[in-house]
Amino acid sequence: MLHVIGLGLGDATDVTVKGLEIIRTCDRVYLESYTSILSVGLKDLEEFYGRSIVEADRELVENNVNEILPKDGKENVAFLVAGDPFGATTHSDLILRAREENINVKIIHNSSILTAVGCCGLQLYRFGETVSIPYWIENWRPNSFYEKIISNRQRDLHTLCLLDIKVKEPTLESITKKRKEYMPSRFMSTSEAAAQLLETIKERSEGIQDEMGLCESSLVIGLARVGWEDERIVAGSLKEMTLVDLGPPLHCLIIPARNLHPLESEFITLYTCK
């Protein structure tokens, strides 16, 4: 059987009791290492779980998945995921591949950023489509995320913006020359995301008078390391957020609905930029 186990958002102790019991009995244990991070490293997880763990990067999971799947009907494999197993589409593909091979799959759920963002005081049922904000490079500046944000605002819904993560990304040279070289890891900050969003607004010529659109004075909320001991939440204008330093990753950005419930407004004042 393949066990896909969510580890939650913080450290080694966030795993569920059920998940921990399974990890300790599996023949092989893998840790997916490229869609998110925990506050502790691989060695800390191994010490707490009492098991050796193989780090599974993007290349292994997406291109060599058969190396992970159980080899026969008696073998049990644990595939560990920060957050919840269905927080990334990659894990859905892994599960489908396993079932194509007639391998039984068991899912152990855990907390996810998709629900933990409620810590900022916004009501979860009022969130619309989640968007991803990618890093821009010189000749590639995608901004389709902006249209989705506007669509949510038109329905008076909040938008959770997940920010780009670059872990073990191959360099352009390594792709063209078929030589394995990787760029340094990068994690987009809320200030970088806010700056890209402001540039997108300017490019789209959205004016301050457009109540459905965004402007530099629009309210946004920055969150960092949700579920960790040093979690941070800051609310302020989009322009202010470009100057806010929330520290180390992981970060995410929320664009609230135009009209807030009184309880939401009161809660957000706890995090307003001073």
Side-chain angles (χ1 to χ4, degrees):
M1 180 176 287
L2 173 67
H3 302 266
V4 186
I5 302 172
L7 300 183
L9 298 172
D11 57 31
T13 63
D14 282 346
V15 67
T16 64
V17 174
K18 181 186 291 185
L20 181 59
E21 290 176 346
I22 292 172
I23 291 169
R24 289 177 172 171
T25 60
C26 280
D27 300 293
R28 288 183 284 131
V29 182
Y30 293 86
L31 173 67
E32 186 266 278
S33 62
Y34 61 92
T35 61
S36 187
I37 58 174
L38 296 170
S39 65
V40 294
L42 185 65
K43 290 184 178 179
D44 297 289
L45 296 179
E46 289 181 326
E47 182 177 345
F48 185 78
Y49 300 153
R51 293 299 312 277
S52 61
I53 302 173
V54 178
E55 191 170 5
D57 59 18
R58 184 186 297 274
E59 183 176 346
L60 175 59
V61 178
E62 296 186 353
N63 299 327
N64 299 289
V65 68
N66 287 334
E67 293 184 22
I68 297 174
L69 298 178
K71 305 302 181 186
D72 55 49
K74 296 181 180 180
E75 190 176 34
N76 288 294
V77 174
F79 185 77
L80 313 183
V81 179
D84 186 83
F86 289 107
T89 54
T90 294
H91 309 135
S92 298
D93 183 66
L94 172 66
I95 292 163
L96 289 173
R97 290 289 300 276
R99 287 181 171 157
E100 286 174 1
E101 299 295 327
N102 294 317
I103 295 170
N104 292 323
V105 179
K106 186 172 185 177
I107 309 297
I108 308 299
H109 293 285
N110 209 316
S111 58
S112 164
I113 189 61
L114 298 175
T115 53
V117 291
C119 65
C120 72
L122 296 181
Q123 298 166 352
L124 289 179
Y125 73 91
R126 293 196 62 203
F127 275 80
E129 182 177 0
T130 298
V131 306
S132 297
I133 299 183
Y135 274 116
W136 284 348
I137 57 178
E138 184 177 355
N139 298 316
W140 191 68
R141 292 164 59 94
N143 55 23
S144 59
F145 57 84
Y146 180 73
E147 296 168 357
K148 295 178 181 179
I149 293 172
I150 298 304
S151 176
N152 284 340
R153 285 174 68 83
Q154 289 172 339
R155 291 175 288 151
D156 213 21
L157 299 175
H158 312 309
T159 304
L160 169 61
C161 303
L162 302 179
L163 310 186
D164 204 357
I165 297 175
K166 299 291 186 185
V167 176
K168 208 172 181 180
E169 292 282 335
T171 63
L172 181 60
E173 184 180 52
S174 71
I175 295 174
T176 57
K177 295 184 177 180
K178 297 183 179 180
R179 182 176 58 193
K180 291 185 178 180
E181 293 180 351
Y182 303 100
M183 296 183 288
S185 296
R186 297 173 65 196
F187 302 88
M188 182 180 285
S189 67
T190 51
S191 59
E192 290 175 310
Q196 284 193 187
L197 191 49
L198 273 180
E199 284 191 53
T200 300
I201 291 169
K202 293 176 182 178
E203 291 173 1
R204 296 295 187 95
S205 300
E206 292 286 348
I208 293 178
Q209 301 302 315
D210 182 1
E211 64 176 8
M212 293 297 182
L214 290 168
C215 63
E216 61 182 24
S217 62
S218 297
L219 174 67
V220 298
I221 304 172
L223 300 93
R225 301 174 302 284
V226 173
W228 297 21
E229 292 296 326
D230 60 346
E231 172 183 292
R232 285 198 65 193
I233 305 172
V234 173
S237 71
L238 184 58
K239 184 176 182 180
E240 288 173 330
M241 195 59 64
T242 64
L243 304 175
V244 172
D245 181 5
L246 292 182
L250 292 171
H251 293 192
C252 62
L253 185 70
I254 297 175
I255 314 299
R258 292 175 294 117
N259 300 299
L260 300 180
H261 186 280
L263 288 178
E264 292 179 313
S265 297
E266 182 178 356
F267 214 115
I268 288 174
T269 60
L270 300 175
Y271 307 116
T272 303
C273 292
K274 301 295 190 292

